[in-house]
């Protein structure tokens, strides 16, 4: 069971992917007003509970690397690294623009993933 964590932007998300069945079992996205610190763990616990899973059932983790909110990235990376160390799981970081562009990869035209840089940029 793979857990994906994305807290790089104000649109945060979690997803559980079952490698055996080849499908997403559960996911949640939400708009965060830079409250990732208090929002992430309760949502992660709820997602695991909904599937009848515990952290020990995970086989790997993926986390967004940004660019994005410093605090959001810090929270997502901290939770991912903590879980990876505690459960001895592989952890991979994925640049946020790659995740953003992924659904459009089969288009013949060039793809430009554009993210808000913060401070109005």
């Amino acid at each position: 069971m793979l857990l994906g964590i994305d807290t790089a932007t104000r649109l945060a998300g979690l997803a559980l992917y079952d490698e055996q069945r080849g499908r997403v079992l559960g996911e949640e996205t939400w708009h965060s007003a830079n409250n990732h610190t208090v929002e992430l763990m309760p949502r992660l616990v709820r997602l695991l509970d909904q599937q009848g899973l515990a952290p020990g059932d995970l086989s790997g983790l993926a986390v967004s690397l940004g660019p994005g909110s410093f605090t959001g990235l810090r929270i997502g990376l901290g939770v991912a690294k903590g879980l990876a160390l505690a459960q001895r799981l592989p952890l991979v970081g994925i640049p946020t623009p790659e995740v953003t562009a992924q659904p459009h990869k089969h288009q013949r035209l060039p793809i430009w993933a554009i993210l808000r840089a913060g401070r109005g940029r």
Side-chain angles (χ1 to χ4, degrees), residues 4-112:
I5 301 172
D6 182 3
T7 57
T9 66
R10 289 191 178 186
L11 181 60
L14 295 167
L16 284 171
Y17 178 77
D18 185 340
E19 318 97 310
Q20 305 298 326
R21 298 184 208 166
R23 65 185 179 116
V24 175
L25 292 184
E27 62 182 313
E28 182 174 358
T29 58
W30 68 96
H31 289 278
S32 176
N34 293 331
N35 290 319
H36 298 91
T37 304
V38 296
E39 298 169 342
L40 181 59
M41 284 308 294
R43 290 171 187 265
L44 175 55
V45 169
R46 183 174 59 224
L47 182 62
L48 290 172
D49 284 347
Q50 287 172 341
Q51 298 302 320
L53 300 170
D57 297 318
L58 298 173
S59 58
L61 300 156
V63 64
S64 58
L65 295 176
S69 156
F70 174 77
T71 300
L73 288 167
R74 181 175 53 88
I75 300 307
L77 289 164
V79 167
K81 189 168 183 178
L83 278 171
L85 288 171
Q87 299 297 321
R88 296 188 174 155
L89 297 172
L91 171 62
V92 62
I94 303 172
T96 304
E98 287 186 31
V99 174
T100 304
Q102 183 66 24
H104 310 285
K105 69 180 181 180
H106 296 295
Q107 293 187 29
R108 292 175 32 193
L109 297 172
I111 300 168
W112 295 354

